[in-house]
Amino acid sequence: MLYKDIIIEKWDWKNLEQHYDAFFTLYVENTQGHEPEKEISLPYIEKKAEQIPGLFEKNQIIFFAALIQNQLAGFLWAYPRTFIETPRICIKALS
């Protein structure tokens, strides 16, 4: 279902920090649901999430938030990542 009142905003760390609980809930749901046959622990996800402020500080992340009635409903983000010793850009969409 498409919502006519979805608002898309580009966020910095201050914006994300204000909605961190909603972000983290979506992040956990997506991360654990992405690999249903594997058990991805909450401490692992927390460790990954702790890296996010530093990515903003280094200007190495682009973060777009989807808001419905001023509540975070999803997001799209991109950041650098090394995969098998090769620099890449990781793009993730969560909803």
Side-chain angles (χ1 to χ4, degrees):
M1 176 178 179
L2 294 176
Y3 293 91
K4 64 179 178 180
D5 50 348
I6 284 182
I7 297 170
I8 306 293
E9 297 178 343
K10 184 177 179 195
W11 277 5
D12 59 17
W13 173 244
K14 286 182 183 180
N15 298 113
L16 181 54
E17 192 173 32
Q18 291 174 357
H19 294 265
Y20 192 82
D21 290 343
F23 158 77
F24 191 74
T25 297
L26 290 171
Y27 187 45
V28 169
E29 288 173 2
N30 183 266
T31 302
Q32 291 178 333
H34 184 69
E35 298 280 348
E37 67 281 353
K38 296 180 183 177
E39 186 174 325
I40 301 173
S41 71
L42 192 57
Y44 174 83
I45 298 168
E46 289 170 340
K47 183 177 176 182
K48 290 293 191 180
E50 288 171 4
Q51 298 172 14
I52 295 169
L55 293 172
F56 277 105
E57 186 176 301
K58 295 175 192 169
N59 200 28
Q60 292 185 323
I61 189 170
I62 298 170
F63 191 99
F64 291 95
L67 303 167
I68 299 173
Q69 297 179 352
N70 210 28
Q71 300 296 314
L72 184 63
F75 52 92
L76 173 84
W77 57 344
Y79 53 90
R81 176 179 173 201
T82 301
F83 180 74
I84 310 176
E85 300 180 23
T86 304
R88 307 245 175 133
I89 297 296
C90 181
I91 300 173
K92 294 186 178 189
L94 305 176
S95 59

